[in-house]
Amino acid sequence: EPEVTQTPSHQVTQMGQEVILRCVPISNHLYFYWYRQILGQKVEFLVSFYNNEISEKSEIFDDQFSVERPDGSNFTLKIRSTKLEDSAMYFCASSRQGGRTNTEAFFGQGTRLTVV
Amino acid sequence: AQSVTQPDIHITVSEGASLELRCNYSYGATPYLFWYVQSPGQGLQLLLKYFSGDTLVQGIKGFEAEFKRSQSSFNLRKPSVHWSDAAEYFCAVGGGDDKIIFGKGTRLHILP
């Protein structure tokens, strides 16, 4: 069964460092997403991406964040200068369709980011 | 604005007992509704979804949920829980854009 793959599963970084979280979405999917879950809190939408551009982003997704689909298979989330409050589980998701036609997004296993 | 409320942070039931997890949503039009499960250290797995048709939907692992428009609810049920059902359950709503809005989750504990 196809699945969304995320690497690494855990990442520890020092405050102020740049991190790149990687995701390989399901191959025939066209819409890609990042969500995050701070420990003990709910899963929050960060950004959606379609046709090589951001289609929607939340207020959490500020200038420190960027997304890219560098090679047609990977989908990355970059945090330019990490802060302690960026510590969270980051989930990548993909779907074949978006908007009102999106009936299912498949989620990866997550990358746990710890900023120290 | 879209929102999801899961009023119970923790639920404890005995193995073999029935389960109902509550979910209420706020959305202006007909929503897409989802239940996801997250086992410890794992990702999010889709249990079931509703977007049209029969308001009682069946999912994986013996779960079902019923969409009640009049109550803005989408409660998750299982007639007999197993120890392996211990996990966190998230109700979520999707609508006129790409994102899914999640509730805060309900952690299910199973007593032997």
Side-chain angles (χ1 to χ4, degrees):
Chain A
E1 185 176 329
E3 60 181 16
V4 176
T5 306
Q6 291 185 244
T7 55
S9 55
H10 294 89
Q11 174 131 17
V12 181
T13 189
Q14 286 195 324
M15 191 168 54
Q17 295 296 304
E18 174 184 285
V19 294
I20 297 176
L21 308 183
R22 302 181 191 280
C23 170
V24 179
I26 294 173
S27 61
N28 63 347
H29 285 187
L30 301 177
Y31 293 79
F32 314 111
Y33 314 84
W34 284 101
Y35 289 76
R36 79 171 185 191
Q37 182 185 29
I38 295 172
L39 188 64
Q41 299 186 26
K42 66 179 179 180
V43 179
E44 301 173 291
F45 169 79
L46 291 178
V47 65
S48 58
F49 189 87
Y50 169 71
N51 200 26
N52 282 322
E53 61 183 25
I54 291 173
S55 50
E56 187 174 359
K57 60 183 180 179
S58 73
E59 59 189 25
I60 302 168
F61 194 88
D62 62 22
D63 292 343
Q64 295 294 325
F65 291 89
S66 63
V67 289
E68 192 177 31
R69 188 154 161 81
D71 57 12
S73 62
N74 290 284
F75 179 52
T76 62
L77 174 69
K78 182 190 293 185
I79 308 175
R80 191 169 58 194
S81 177
T82 50
K83 305 186 285 287
L84 294 177
E85 53 264 40
D86 293 327
S87 296
M89 179 77 92
Y90 288 81
F91 291 105
C92 175
S94 70
S95 63
R96 261 186 310 159
Q97 296 169 310
R100 287 295 292 177
T101 57
N102 178 22
T103 58
E104 183 173 346
F106 290 81
F107 284 80
Q109 297 296 302
T111 293
R112 180 163 295 287
L113 175 65
T114 303
V115 182
V116 297
Chain B
Q2 302 165 28
S3 67
V4 177
T5 302
Q6 293 180 249
D8 303 305
I9 299 173
H10 295 272
I11 291 276
T12 301
V13 298
S14 297
E15 189 169 18
S18 64
L19 170 72
E20 182 168 28
L21 302 183
R22 297 183 290 166
C23 172
N24 293 94
Y25 69 89
S26 173
Y27 185 69
T30 300
Y32 293 170
L33 294 161
F34 309 85
W35 274 98
Y36 286 87
V37 61
Q38 184 183 28
S39 297
Q42 301 297 310
L44 295 165
Q45 182 182 23
L46 181 69
L47 282 176
L48 48 78
K49 62 188 177 186
Y50 169 81
F51 50 94
S52 66
D54 193 344
T55 56
L56 183 64
V57 293
Q58 303 296 320
I60 62 171
K61 304 185 180 186
F63 286 92
E64 66 177 27
E66 185 171 12
F67 170 57
K68 293 185 177 180
R69 186 188 299 276
S70 62
Q71 299 176 20
S72 298
S73 69
F74 189 58
N75 294 348
L76 181 71
R77 300 193 293 250
K78 186 170 184 178
S80 176
V81 297
H82 185 262
W83 64 266
S84 60
D85 293 325
E88 185 132 26
Y89 291 80
F90 293 94
C91 182
V93 62
D97 49 27
D98 295 334
K99 65 180 179 287
I100 297 173
I101 305 296
F102 287 83
K104 292 187 177 182
T106 297
R107 182 164 295 280
L108 175 64
H109 306 271
I110 307 294
L111 295 175

